[in-house]
Amino acid sequence: MPSQPGMPAMPAPGQYPSPTQLSQTAGAYPAPGQPLADQGPKQPKAGDFDAGAQARFPNGPDAMGTYKTWNWVAADVKGRYFLLPTVTANFNMPLAIIHPDTITKPIDGGGMSTLSPKLFGGMSARLEATLPKLPKMPFIKNDIDLGLSLAVSYMHDGAVLLSEKDYPLFTGDFHPGFNGALIMKVKLSDLFDFSLLPAWVWQKEGDGSLTAFQMPSALIIKLGNALKLSIDLSIYTGNNYTFGADGGGRLGTGAALDLKIGPILAHLGGGFASLLTSDVGPYPTISDSVYFDFNVKYAK
């Protein structure tokens, strides 16, 4: 029969859905007037990448030994490429855009040391891989993601011991380095995640080598798919696993806000590079260790 004006067309013979088809499609579409279900954030796939630069404004000494924010400005050029959804290749090139021509620092045992900072810190390449989702264990209440991070670098003396909260003191010659870390992320709830990244660090230096332990940790609060807040507490030892501030040990803390707007990822953070202080260490006082950072990346 021909359709009357304003009425839907009649289906052709044999085009009526069967009860089985109706049961399979039930719930696949929202009821009239209801919004589409939230599909969550986009999941990465092989071939995706992001790249950008991070600007850092850490407190650091000038030629007279006075710590101020604008004495040093660092920029880290970064890139990440997804080889697989759970495997990424990462690149980092740290730069000291603004730095004093020379700085003078007290050394343990008395006396002063004069250093000549440089612009180019070197470069590093890192491979990160996370394991497939582990099955739920009866004795473990929370989901746990595990992975491994392996990095090789070619940087100035001691540069591999620096964190992204420290002022970019690049001095001496270039030497190869290595960083091996265990990636651990615990899903505490739909709102909270906890991440831990214990790492062993090594770098060649003269006839010997530098060795250190680093353990950044963060509590991540997810405020929707596009916004998250993180609060971190991180341990960085000096050479030979020295935890004390006299030997270069630091206990850093801070907070950061990450925002995703389309393909743009923005990050804003700040805090203290070290709560451990010493006249012969990197930071004489806690206020001397204040830092700020800003990061913008393009993600595809």
Side-chain angles (χ1 to χ4, degrees):
M1 296 287 292
S3 300
Q4 296 297 321
M7 297 183 63
M10 297 294 290
Q15 295 302 309
Y16 292 99
S18 68
T20 301
Q21 291 172 324
L22 286 172
S23 65
Q24 291 175 342
T25 58
Y29 299 96
Q34 296 297 318
L36 290 173
D38 184 7
Q39 300 300 317
K42 173 182 176 292
Q43 298 301 313
K45 62 182 183 299
D48 284 353
F49 69 91
D50 56 60
Q54 173 175 264
R56 297 189 283 119
F57 307 93
N59 271 12
D62 60 14
M64 304 303 294
T66 302
Y67 280 69
K68 293 180 181 178
T69 299
W70 291 100
N71 291 339
W72 300 76
V73 175
D76 304 320
V77 180
K78 297 185 174 186
R80 179 176 62 168
Y81 182 82
F82 283 84
L83 301 172
L84 295 170
T86 59
V87 180
T88 62
N90 305 264
F91 171 81
N92 184 35
M93 184 175 66
L95 303 170
I97 301 297
I98 296 177
H99 60 82
D101 292 333
T102 61
I103 62 171
T104 303
K105 294 178 61 66
I107 57 178
D108 197 10
M112 303 293 288
S113 173
T114 301
L115 304 173
S116 299
K118 297 178 172 61
L119 166 67
F120 181 58
M123 60 185 65
S124 65
R126 185 175 74 256
L127 187 69
E128 288 187 0
T130 56
L131 297 175
K133 181 68 71 173
L134 298 176
K136 192 73 174 179
M137 300 294 183
F139 53 88
I140 298 179
K141 297 177 59 177
N142 303 308
D143 292 334
I144 300 177
D145 292 330
L146 295 176
L148 190 64
S149 171
L150 301 174
V152 293
S153 60
Y154 192 64
M155 306 182 76
H156 280 290
D157 290 333
V160 297
L161 274 61
L162 299 175
S163 77
E164 292 189 346
K165 302 177 181 181
D166 294 311
Y167 58 92
L169 179 58
F170 305 135
T171 61
D173 298 324
F174 285 98
H175 293 289
F178 173 81
N179 182 309
L182 181 64
I183 303 171
M184 293 187 289
K185 185 175 182 180
V186 182
K187 182 178 177 63
L188 302 176
S189 68
D190 291 338
L191 184 63
F192 296 99
D193 287 342
F194 177 76
S195 69
L196 191 66
L197 195 73
W200 179 74
V201 180
W202 173 90
Q203 187 180 24
K204 178 69 175 175
E205 185 184 54
D207 296 331
S209 62
L210 304 173
T211 52
F213 175 75
Q214 300 175 348
M215 191 169 67
S217 64
L219 177 66
I220 303 165
I221 306 170
K222 295 170 290 187
L223 307 173
N225 295 333
L227 186 66
K228 66 180 181 180
L229 173 68
S230 59
I231 303 170
D232 65 83
L233 182 67
S234 305
I235 297 172
Y236 300 93
T237 73
N239 184 30
N240 291 327
Y241 314 109
T242 304
F243 182 74
D246 292 354
R250 288 97 68 214
L251 178 63
T253 185
L257 192 66
D258 292 270
L259 176 64
K260 186 177 188 302
I261 305 175
I264 303 300
L265 305 176
H267 164 96
L268 178 64
F272 300 95
S274 182
L275 302 178
L276 306 176
T277 62
S278 170
D279 289 339
V280 297
Y283 302 100
T285 69
I286 293 177
S287 61
D288 290 334
S289 73
V290 171
Y291 76 90
F292 298 96
D293 60 59
F294 179 73
N295 186 348
V296 176
K297 296 190 293 184
Y298 172 81
K300 177 185 180 298

